[in-house]
Amino acid sequence: MTVPFKPLKIDRLTPKKPHGLVVVITGNGKGKTTSAMGMVLRASGHGLRTCIIQFMKGDLYTGEWDGVKLLGSLAELHATGMGFCGIQGNPYSHAEHRVNAQAAIELARTRMTGGDFDIVILDEINNALQLKLVDLEQVLELIKEKPELMHLVLTGRNARPEILELADTVSEVCEVKHAYQKDIEPQPGIDY
Amino acid sequence: MTVPFKPLKIDRLTPKKPHGLVVVITGNGKGKTTSAMGMVLRASGHGLRTCIIQFMKGDLYTGEWDGVKLLGSLAELHATGMGFCGIQGNPYSHAEHRVNAQAAIELARTRMTGGDFDIVILDEINNALQLKLVDLEQVLELIKEKPELMHLVLTGRNARPEILELADTVSEVCEVKHAYQKDIEPQPGIDY
Protein backbone atom coordinates (compact mmCIF):
# COMPACT_ATOMS: atom_id res chain seq x y z
CA MET A 1 0.00 0.00 0.00
CA THR A 2 1.35 3.34 -0.98
CA VAL A 3 -0.68 5.87 0.99
CA PRO A 4 1.05 7.27 4.09
CA PHE A 5 -2.02 7.58 6.31
CA LYS A 6 -4.34 4.74 7.24
CA PRO A 7 -7.74 5.30 8.84
CA LEU A 8 -7.58 4.78 12.61
CA LYS A 9 -10.36 2.26 12.27
CA ILE A 10 -12.59 0.84 9.61
CA ASP A 11 -16.27 1.06 10.46
CA ARG A 12 -18.81 -1.49 9.40
CA LEU A 13 -22.40 -0.47 8.94
CA THR A 14 -25.03 -2.95 10.02
CA PRO A 15 -28.61 -1.83 9.50
CA LYS A 16 -30.64 -1.99 12.70
CA LYS A 17 -33.58 -2.81 10.50
CA PRO A 18 -32.75 -4.91 7.43
CA HIS A 19 -35.00 -3.91 4.57
CA GLY A 20 -35.44 -5.60 1.22
CA LEU A 21 -35.27 -2.77 -1.30
CA VAL A 22 -36.88 -2.29 -4.68
CA VAL A 23 -34.30 -0.52 -6.84
CA VAL A 24 -34.99 0.78 -10.35
CA ILE A 25 -32.21 1.89 -12.71
CA THR A 26 -33.66 3.58 -15.76
CA GLY A 27 -32.74 6.29 -18.28
CA ASN A 28 -31.11 6.45 -21.72
CA GLY A 29 -27.44 6.47 -20.64
CA LYS A 30 -24.76 3.82 -20.32
CA GLY A 31 -24.68 2.23 -16.89
CA LYS A 32 -27.95 0.48 -16.07
CA THR A 33 -27.12 -3.20 -16.52
CA THR A 34 -23.58 -2.21 -15.56
CA SER A 35 -24.81 -0.79 -12.27
CA ALA A 36 -26.81 -3.94 -11.59
CA MET A 37 -23.66 -5.99 -12.21
CA GLY A 38 -21.83 -3.78 -9.72
CA MET A 39 -24.42 -4.70 -7.12
CA VAL A 40 -23.74 -8.37 -7.88
CA LEU A 41 -20.02 -7.88 -7.23
CA ARG A 42 -20.62 -5.79 -4.12
CA ALA A 43 -23.18 -8.26 -2.73
CA SER A 44 -20.76 -11.14 -3.34
CA GLY A 45 -18.29 -9.40 -1.07
CA HIS A 46 -20.88 -9.60 1.69
CA GLY A 47 -21.49 -13.27 0.90
CA LEU A 48 -24.96 -12.45 -0.45
CA ARG A 49 -26.40 -14.46 -3.32
CA THR A 50 -27.77 -12.88 -6.48
CA CYS A 51 -29.89 -14.22 -9.32
CA ILE A 52 -29.80 -12.21 -12.56
CA ILE A 53 -32.45 -12.75 -15.20
CA GLN A 54 -31.74 -10.91 -18.45
CA PHE A 55 -34.93 -10.29 -20.42
CA MET A 56 -33.49 -8.98 -23.70
CA LYS A 57 -29.91 -10.25 -23.84
CA GLY A 58 -29.18 -13.72 -25.12
CA ASP A 59 -28.03 -13.55 -28.72
CA LEU A 60 -25.00 -11.29 -28.26
CA TYR A 61 -22.15 -12.22 -25.95
CA THR A 62 -21.51 -9.91 -23.04
CA GLY A 63 -18.70 -10.18 -20.50
CA GLU A 64 -20.93 -10.51 -17.44
CA TRP A 65 -21.93 -14.01 -18.59
CA ASP A 66 -18.45 -15.24 -17.75
CA GLY A 67 -17.79 -12.61 -15.08
CA VAL A 68 -20.47 -13.96 -12.77
CA LYS A 69 -19.05 -17.47 -13.12
CA LEU A 70 -16.01 -16.21 -11.21
CA LEU A 71 -18.32 -15.60 -8.24
CA GLY A 72 -19.13 -19.31 -7.99
CA SER A 73 -22.32 -20.20 -6.16
CA LEU A 74 -22.91 -16.57 -5.14
CA ALA A 75 -24.38 -15.62 -8.50
CA GLU A 76 -26.58 -17.22 -11.12
CA LEU A 77 -27.28 -15.62 -14.50
CA HIS A 78 -29.98 -16.51 -17.03
CA ALA A 79 -29.85 -14.77 -20.40
CA THR A 80 -33.39 -15.56 -21.49
CA GLY A 81 -33.69 -13.08 -24.36
CA MET A 82 -33.14 -13.37 -28.08
CA GLY A 83 -32.04 -9.81 -28.68
CA PHE A 84 -34.17 -6.76 -29.25
CA CYS A 85 -37.55 -7.73 -30.57
CA GLY A 86 -38.55 -5.86 -33.68
CA ILE A 87 -35.22 -4.28 -34.55
CA GLN A 88 -33.82 -4.79 -38.02
CA GLY A 89 -32.01 -8.09 -38.37
CA ASN A 90 -33.65 -9.78 -35.39
CA PRO A 91 -35.09 -12.98 -36.90
CA TYR A 92 -37.52 -13.96 -34.16
CA SER A 93 -41.24 -13.28 -34.06
CA HIS A 94 -42.89 -11.24 -31.33
CA ALA A 95 -44.66 -14.43 -30.24
CA GLU A 96 -41.35 -16.27 -29.77
CA HIS A 97 -39.86 -13.35 -27.82
CA ARG A 98 -43.00 -13.22 -25.68
CA VAL A 99 -42.99 -16.93 -24.90
CA ASN A 100 -39.42 -16.60 -23.63
CA ALA A 101 -40.16 -13.46 -21.62
CA GLN A 102 -43.16 -15.16 -20.05
CA ALA A 103 -40.96 -18.11 -19.09
CA ALA A 104 -38.49 -15.61 -17.63
CA ILE A 105 -41.27 -14.11 -15.47
CA GLU A 106 -42.03 -17.60 -14.16
CA LEU A 107 -38.32 -18.15 -13.52
CA ALA A 108 -38.20 -14.86 -11.62
CA ARG A 109 -41.15 -15.91 -9.47
CA THR A 110 -39.49 -19.26 -8.70
CA ARG A 111 -36.18 -17.65 -7.79
CA MET A 112 -37.81 -14.92 -5.72
CA THR A 113 -39.87 -17.33 -3.66
CA GLY A 114 -37.33 -20.15 -3.41
CA GLY A 115 -35.43 -18.53 -0.55
CA ASP A 116 -32.03 -19.11 -2.16
CA PHE A 117 -31.29 -15.52 -3.19
CA ASP A 118 -30.78 -12.26 -1.33
CA ILE A 119 -31.04 -10.19 -4.51
CA VAL A 120 -32.94 -10.83 -7.73
CA ILE A 121 -32.15 -8.65 -10.75
CA LEU A 122 -34.63 -8.35 -13.62
CA ASP A 123 -32.32 -6.87 -16.23
CA GLU A 124 -33.96 -4.82 -18.99
CA ILE A 125 -37.42 -5.83 -17.83
CA ASN A 126 -38.51 -2.25 -18.55
CA ASN A 127 -37.64 -2.83 -22.21
CA ALA A 128 -39.52 -6.13 -22.20
CA LEU A 129 -42.53 -4.25 -20.83
CA GLN A 130 -42.34 -1.58 -23.49
CA LEU A 131 -42.14 -4.23 -26.20
CA LYS A 132 -45.20 -5.97 -24.69
CA LEU A 133 -43.27 -9.17 -24.01
CA VAL A 134 -44.46 -8.97 -20.41
CA ASP A 135 -47.44 -7.12 -18.93
CA LEU A 136 -47.38 -4.32 -16.40
CA GLU A 137 -49.63 -6.31 -14.04
CA GLN A 138 -47.11 -9.17 -14.04
CA VAL A 139 -44.26 -6.90 -13.02
CA LEU A 140 -46.29 -5.07 -10.37
CA GLU A 141 -47.35 -8.44 -8.97
CA LEU A 142 -43.71 -9.62 -8.74
CA ILE A 143 -42.80 -6.43 -6.87
CA LYS A 144 -45.74 -6.72 -4.48
CA GLU A 145 -45.07 -10.41 -3.81
CA LYS A 146 -41.36 -9.84 -3.13
CA PRO A 147 -40.14 -11.52 0.07
CA GLU A 148 -39.72 -8.80 2.69
CA LEU A 149 -35.93 -9.00 3.07
CA MET A 150 -35.05 -9.79 -0.55
CA HIS A 151 -33.82 -6.95 -2.77
CA LEU A 152 -35.36 -6.65 -6.22
CA VAL A 153 -33.54 -4.66 -8.92
CA LEU A 154 -35.26 -3.69 -12.17
CA THR A 155 -33.35 -2.11 -15.05
CA GLY A 156 -34.03 -0.72 -18.49
CA ARG A 157 -35.06 2.54 -20.05
CA ASN A 158 -38.53 4.06 -19.84
CA ALA A 159 -39.50 2.55 -16.50
CA ARG A 160 -43.26 2.86 -16.04
CA PRO A 161 -44.50 5.33 -13.40
CA GLU A 162 -46.45 2.54 -11.67
CA ILE A 163 -43.14 0.74 -11.09
CA LEU A 164 -41.35 3.88 -9.91
CA GLU A 165 -44.19 4.41 -7.45
CA LEU A 166 -43.46 1.05 -5.77
CA ALA A 167 -39.67 1.49 -5.77
CA ASP A 168 -37.57 2.60 -2.80
CA THR A 169 -34.60 3.85 -4.81
CA VAL A 170 -34.73 5.06 -8.40
CA SER A 171 -31.81 6.37 -10.44
CA GLU A 172 -32.08 7.75 -13.94
CA VAL A 173 -28.90 7.31 -15.97
CA CYS A 174 -28.78 10.11 -18.53
CA GLU A 175 -26.57 10.08 -21.60
CA VAL A 176 -24.43 13.21 -21.64
CA LYS A 177 -22.26 11.87 -24.44
CA HIS A 178 -21.30 8.47 -25.82
CA ALA A 179 -18.37 7.15 -27.81
CA TYR A 180 -20.66 5.91 -30.62
CA GLN A 181 -21.34 9.54 -31.49
CA LYS A 182 -17.68 9.70 -32.56
CA ASP A 183 -18.12 6.41 -34.47
CA ILE A 184 -16.14 4.49 -31.88
CA GLU A 185 -17.31 0.86 -31.81
CA PRO A 186 -18.49 -0.86 -28.62
CA GLN A 187 -15.48 -2.01 -26.62
CA PRO A 188 -15.33 -5.26 -24.61
CA GLY A 189 -15.28 -4.84 -20.85
CA ILE A 190 -16.82 -1.38 -21.05
CA ASP A 191 -19.77 -1.60 -23.43
CA TYR A 192 -20.43 -5.36 -23.39
CA MET B 1 -32.74 -23.36 -18.60
CA THR B 2 -36.40 -22.71 -18.71
CA VAL B 3 -37.01 -20.66 -21.84
CA PRO B 4 -38.44 -22.59 -24.79
CA PHE B 5 -36.61 -20.72 -27.54
CA LYS B 6 -32.86 -20.37 -27.87
CA PRO B 7 -31.19 -17.92 -30.23
CA LEU B 8 -30.07 -19.64 -33.44
CA LYS B 9 -26.60 -18.34 -32.79
CA ILE B 10 -24.79 -16.17 -30.30
CA ASP B 11 -22.87 -13.35 -31.92
CA ARG B 12 -19.64 -11.98 -30.53
CA LEU B 13 -18.67 -8.42 -31.23
CA THR B 14 -15.01 -7.72 -31.85
CA PRO B 15 -14.16 -4.11 -32.55
CA LYS B 16 -12.30 -3.65 -35.82
CA LYS B 17 -10.54 -0.80 -34.12
CA PRO B 18 -9.87 -1.30 -30.40
CA HIS B 19 -10.10 2.04 -28.62
CA GLY B 20 -9.16 2.88 -25.05
CA LEU B 21 -12.10 4.87 -23.74
CA VAL B 22 -12.35 7.63 -21.18
CA VAL B 23 -15.61 7.07 -19.31
CA VAL B 24 -17.04 9.47 -16.73
CA ILE B 25 -19.91 8.51 -14.42
CA THR B 26 -21.16 11.55 -12.54
CA GLY B 27 -24.40 12.87 -11.02
CA ASN B 28 -26.09 12.85 -7.64
CA GLY B 29 -27.83 9.47 -7.86
CA LYS B 30 -27.02 5.98 -6.65
CA GLY B 31 -25.02 3.97 -9.18
CA LYS B 32 -21.69 5.60 -9.97
CA THR B 33 -19.20 3.46 -8.06
CA THR B 34 -21.68 0.63 -8.56
CA SER B 35 -21.53 1.09 -12.32
CA ALA B 36 -17.73 1.11 -12.22
CA MET B 37 -17.82 -2.17 -10.26
CA GLY B 38 -20.10 -3.60 -12.94
CA MET B 39 -17.44 -2.80 -15.53
CA VAL B 40 -14.94 -4.72 -13.36
CA LEU B 41 -17.16 -7.80 -13.36
CA ARG B 42 -17.93 -7.51 -17.08
CA ALA B 43 -14.26 -6.97 -17.96
CA SER B 44 -13.28 -10.00 -15.88
CA GLY B 45 -15.55 -12.11 -18.06
CA HIS B 46 -13.44 -11.05 -21.03
CA GLY B 47 -10.26 -11.87 -19.12
CA LEU B 48 -9.40 -8.17 -18.90
CA ARG B 49 -7.59 -6.82 -15.86
CA THR B 50 -8.80 -3.87 -13.84
CA CYS B 51 -7.17 -1.68 -11.21
CA ILE B 52 -9.54 0.28 -8.97
CA ILE B 53 -8.24 3.20 -6.92
CA GLN B 54 -10.79 4.58 -4.49
CA PHE B 55 -10.04 8.18 -3.57
CA MET B 56 -12.54 8.76 -0.77
CA LYS B 57 -13.42 5.30 0.54
CA GLY B 58 -11.20 3.66 3.11
CA ASP B 59 -12.70 4.08 6.56
CA LEU B 60 -16.06 2.41 5.97
CA TYR B 61 -16.33 -1.17 4.80
CA THR B 62 -17.96 -1.74 1.44
CA GLY B 63 -18.70 -5.09 -0.19
CA GLU B 64 -16.63 -4.50 -3.31
CA TRP B 65 -13.46 -4.79 -1.22
CA ASP B 66 -14.11 -8.50 -0.83
CA GLY B 67 -16.07 -8.86 -4.06
CA VAL B 68 -13.06 -8.07 -6.22
CA LYS B 69 -11.00 -10.67 -4.35
CA LEU B 70 -13.24 -13.31 -5.91
CA LEU B 71 -11.90 -12.21 -9.31
CA GLY B 72 -8.37 -13.25 -8.37
CA SER B 73 -5.59 -11.68 -10.37
CA LEU B 74 -8.06 -9.98 -12.73
CA ALA B 75 -8.75 -7.13 -10.31
CA GLU B 76 -6.81 -5.09 -7.80
CA LEU B 77 -8.44 -2.57 -5.46
CA HIS B 78 -6.81 0.17 -3.40
CA ALA B 79 -9.01 2.04 -0.93
CA THR B 80 -6.71 5.00 -0.39
CA GLY B 81 -9.19 7.37 1.26
CA MET B 82 -10.02 8.12 4.87
CA GLY B 83 -13.66 8.99 4.35
CA PHE B 84 -15.17 12.28 3.34
CA CYS B 85 -12.84 15.11 4.20
CA GLY B 86 -14.49 17.88 6.15
CA ILE B 87 -17.75 16.15 7.06
CA GLN B 88 -18.77 16.01 10.67
CA GLY B 89 -17.08 13.21 12.56
CA ASN B 90 -14.21 12.74 10.13
CA PRO B 91 -11.13 13.08 12.36
CA TYR B 92 -8.47 13.67 9.71
CA SER B 93 -7.05 17.00 8.60
CA HIS B 94 -7.28 18.27 5.06
CA ALA B 95 -3.48 17.93 4.84
CA GLU B 96 -3.63 14.23 5.75
CA HIS B 97 -6.42 13.58 3.25
CA ARG B 98 -4.44 15.44 0.59
CA VAL B 99 -1.21 13.52 1.21
CA ASN B 100 -3.12 10.28 0.68
CA ALA B 101 -4.90 11.54 -2.43
CA GLN B 102 -1.59 12.70 -3.87
CA ALA B 103 -0.11 9.26 -3.23
CA ALA B 104 -3.17 7.78 -4.95
CA ILE B 105 -2.50 9.94 -8.01
CA GLU B 106 1.04 8.57 -8.11
CA LEU B 107 -0.32 5.04 -7.73
CA ALA B 108 -2.72 5.70 -10.61
CA ARG B 109 0.14 6.90 -12.80
CA THR B 110 2.18 3.79 -11.96
CA ARG B 111 -0.71 1.44 -12.67
CA MET B 112 -1.66 3.24 -15.89
CA THR B 113 1.82 3.13 -17.32
CA GLY B 114 2.86 -0.28 -16.00
CA GLY B 115 1.11 -2.17 -18.78
CA ASP B 116 -0.54 -4.64 -16.41
CA PHE B 117 -4.08 -3.31 -16.62
CA ASP B 118 -6.67 -2.98 -19.38
CA ILE B 119 -8.88 -0.71 -17.27
CA VAL B 120 -8.02 1.75 -14.51
CA ILE B 121 -10.85 3.13 -12.39
CA LEU B 122 -10.37 6.34 -10.39
CA ASP B 123 -13.35 6.03 -8.08
CA GLU B 124 -14.74 9.29 -6.64
CA ILE B 125 -11.85 11.26 -8.06
CA ASN B 126 -14.37 13.99 -8.91
CA ASN B 127 -15.10 14.34 -5.19
CA ALA B 128 -11.38 14.44 -4.40
CA LEU B 129 -11.08 17.24 -6.94
CA GLN B 130 -13.91 19.21 -5.45
CA LEU B 131 -12.39 18.86 -1.98
CA LYS B 132 -9.04 20.08 -3.36
CA LEU B 133 -7.29 16.83 -2.44
CA VAL B 134 -6.08 16.62 -6.03
CA ASP B 135 -5.72 19.36 -8.65
CA LEU B 136 -7.54 19.61 -11.96
CA GLU B 137 -4.23 19.74 -13.84
CA GLN B 138 -3.20 16.42 -12.30
CA VAL B 139 -6.37 14.70 -13.46
CA LEU B 140 -6.25 16.20 -16.95
CA GLU B 141 -2.63 15.08 -17.23
CA LEU B 142 -3.53 11.50 -16.27
CA ILE B 143 -6.26 11.49 -18.92
CA LYS B 144 -3.97 12.91 -21.59
CA GLU B 145 -1.15 10.49 -20.76
CA LYS B 146 -3.45 7.45 -20.81
CA PRO B 147 -2.04 4.55 -22.85
CA GLU B 148 -3.97 4.44 -26.12
CA LEU B 149 -5.72 1.11 -25.61
CA MET B 150 -6.29 1.35 -21.86
CA HIS B 151 -9.73 2.38 -20.60
CA LEU B 152 -9.89 5.02 -17.90
CA VAL B 153 -13.03 5.38 -15.79
CA LEU B 154 -13.59 8.38 -13.52
CA THR B 155 -16.49 8.55 -11.08
CA GLY B 156 -17.99 10.96 -8.58
CA ARG B 157 -20.46 13.79 -8.54
CA ASN B 158 -19.83 17.23 -10.00
CA ALA B 159 -17.36 16.18 -12.71
CA ARG B 160 -15.56 19.25 -14.00
CA PRO B 161 -16.39 20.39 -17.56
CA GLU B 162 -12.71 20.16 -18.53
CA ILE B 163 -12.86 16.43 -17.73
CA LEU B 164 -16.15 15.90 -19.57
CA GLU B 165 -14.58 17.58 -22.58
CA LEU B 166 -11.86 14.90 -22.76
CA ALA B 167 -14.22 11.98 -22.13
CA ASP B 168 -15.63 9.67 -24.80
CA THR B 169 -18.64 8.50 -22.81
CA VAL B 170 -20.31 10.43 -20.00
CA SER B 171 -23.34 9.33 -18.02
CA GLU B 172 -25.06 11.41 -15.38
CA VAL B 173 -26.80 9.35 -12.73
CA CYS B 174 -29.70 11.38 -11.36
CA GLU B 175 -31.47 10.65 -8.12
CA VAL B 176 -35.18 10.27 -8.75
CA LYS B 177 -35.80 8.91 -5.29
CA HIS B 178 -33.79 7.14 -2.62
CA ALA B 179 -34.67 4.86 0.28
CA TYR B 180 -33.01 7.21 2.80
CA GLN B 181 -35.83 9.66 2.15
CA LYS B 182 -38.11 7.11 3.82
CA ASP B 183 -35.58 6.73 6.67
CA ILE B 184 -34.51 3.31 5.39
CA GLU B 185 -30.89 2.67 6.40
CA PRO B 186 -28.18 1.75 3.88
CA GLN B 187 -28.42 -1.97 3.11
CA PRO B 188 -25.39 -4.24 2.47
CA GLY B 189 -24.99 -5.44 -1.10
CA ILE B 190 -27.07 -2.59 -2.48
CA ASP B 191 -25.83 0.61 -0.84
CA TYR B 192 -22.38 -0.52 0.34
Side-chain angles (χ1 to χ4, degrees):
Chain A
M1 199 59 188
T2 59
V3 295
F5 296 109
K6 298 289 282 181
L8 301 170
K9 64 181 176 64
I10 294 173
D11 286 322
R12 266 184 187 258
L13 294 178
T14 307
K16 286 184 201 77
K17 198 173 169 215
H19 190 109
L21 297 166
V22 176
V23 179
V24 176
I25 314 284
T26 190
N28 68 342
K30 173 202 166 32
K32 297 181 292 294
T33 296
T34 322
S35 187
M37 293 306 136
M39 287 184 242
V40 178
L41 186 67
R42 177 173 284 162
S44 299
H46 288 280
L48 300 173
R49 294 156 305 170
T50 309
C51 176
I52 307 127
I53 300 176
Q54 297 192 315
F55 277 78
M56 305 307 298
K57 295 191 179 88
D59 65 341
L60 188 60
Y61 177 82
T62 175
E64 62 258 27
W65 295 357
D66 285 316
V68 298
K69 290 181 189 166
L70 299 169
L71 307 175
S73 61
L74 291 171
E76 179 182 294
L77 185 147
H78 303 268
T80 70
M82 298 189 299
F84 275 82
C85 176
I87 66 164
Q88 205 183 3
N90 186 288
Y92 314 104
S93 69
H94 186 272
E96 285 171 318
H97 279 282
R98 186 168 162 103
V99 166
N100 269 20
Q102 290 295 315
I105 287 278
E106 268 321 298
L107 178 64
R109 182 169 289 120
T110 310
R111 289 303 185 269
M112 287 175 62
T113 56
D116 288 328
F117 294 97
D118 302 291
I119 303 178
V120 170
I121 294 172
L122 307 179
D123 187 37
E124 291 182 338
I125 192 164
N126 294 328
N127 308 69
L129 247 176
Q130 194 169 33
L131 293 165
K132 300 191 194 306
L133 307 181
V134 302
D135 305 323
L136 180 61
E137 294 64 35
Q138 292 181 303
V139 182
L140 297 178
E141 202 174 287
L142 281 182
I143 297 174
K144 287 174 183 165
E145 290 173 359
K146 179 186 83 58
E148 197 182 333
L149 296 182
M150 197 205 80
H151 305 294
L152 182 64
V153 179
L154 304 98
T155 80
R157 49 177 76 195
N158 302 318
R160 297 277 288 264
E162 296 89 341
I163 292 178
L164 301 185
E165 178 63 31
L166 294 179
D168 300 298
T169 294
V170 177
S171 288
E172 183 180 3
V173 184
C174 302
E175 181 177 288
V176 176
K177 64 202 245 194
H178 196 289
Y180 71 76
Q181 296 160 336
K182 296 194 285 182
D183 290 325
I184 297 173
E185 299 159 274
Q187 301 295 320
I190 301 290
D191 295 305
Y192 66 90
Chain B
M1 197 58 184
T2 59
V3 295
F5 296 109
K6 299 288 282 180
L8 300 170
K9 65 181 176 62
I10 294 173
D11 286 323
R12 266 186 188 258
L13 293 178
T14 308
K16 285 184 201 77
K17 198 171 171 220
H19 189 108
L21 298 166
V22 176
V23 179
V24 176
I25 314 284
T26 191
N28 68 343
K30 173 201 168 30
K32 298 181 292 294
T33 296
T34 321
S35 186
M37 293 306 135
M39 287 184 242
V40 178
L41 186 66
R42 176 173 284 164
S44 299
H46 288 279
L48 300 173
R49 294 155 308 169
T50 309
C51 176
I52 307 126
I53 301 177
Q54 297 192 314
F55 277 77
M56 305 306 299
K57 295 189 179 90
D59 65 341
L60 188 59
Y61 177 81
T62 175
E64 61 259 27
W65 294 357
D66 285 316
V68 297
K69 290 181 188 166
L70 299 170
L71 307 176
S73 62
L74 291 171
E76 178 182 294
L77 184 148
H78 303 268
T80 70
M82 300 188 299
F84 275 82
C85 176
I87 65 164
Q88 205 184 359
N90 187 287
Y92 314 104
S93 71
H94 186 272
E96 286 171 317
H97 279 282
R98 186 168 163 102
V99 167
N100 268 21
Q102 290 296 315
I105 287 279
E106 269 321 298
L107 178 63
R109 183 170 286 119
T110 311
R111 290 302 185 270
M112 286 175 62
T113 55
D116 289 328
F117 294 97
D118 303 290
I119 304 178
V120 170
I121 294 171
L122 307 179
D123 187 38
E124 291 182 339
I125 193 163
N126 293 328
N127 308 70
L129 247 176
Q130 193 169 32
L131 293 165
K132 299 189 194 307
L133 306 181
V134 303
D135 305 323
L136 180 61
E137 294 65 34
Q138 293 181 304
V139 182
L140 297 179
E141 203 175 285
L142 282 182
I143 297 173
K144 287 172 184 165
E145 290 174 0
K146 179 186 82 58
E148 198 183 332
L149 296 182
M150 197 204 80
H151 305 294
L152 183 63
V153 179
L154 305 98
T155 80
R157 48 177 76 194
N158 302 316
R160 297 277 286 264
E162 297 88 342
I163 293 178
L164 300 186
E165 178 64 31
L166 294 179
D168 299 298
T169 294
V170 177
S171 289
E172 184 180 3
V173 184
C174 302
E175 180 177 289
V176 177
K177 64 201 246 192
H178 196 289
Y180 71 75
Q181 295 160 335
K182 294 194 285 182
D183 290 325
I184 298 172
E185 299 159 273
Q187 302 294 322
I190 301 291
D191 296 306
Y192 66 90

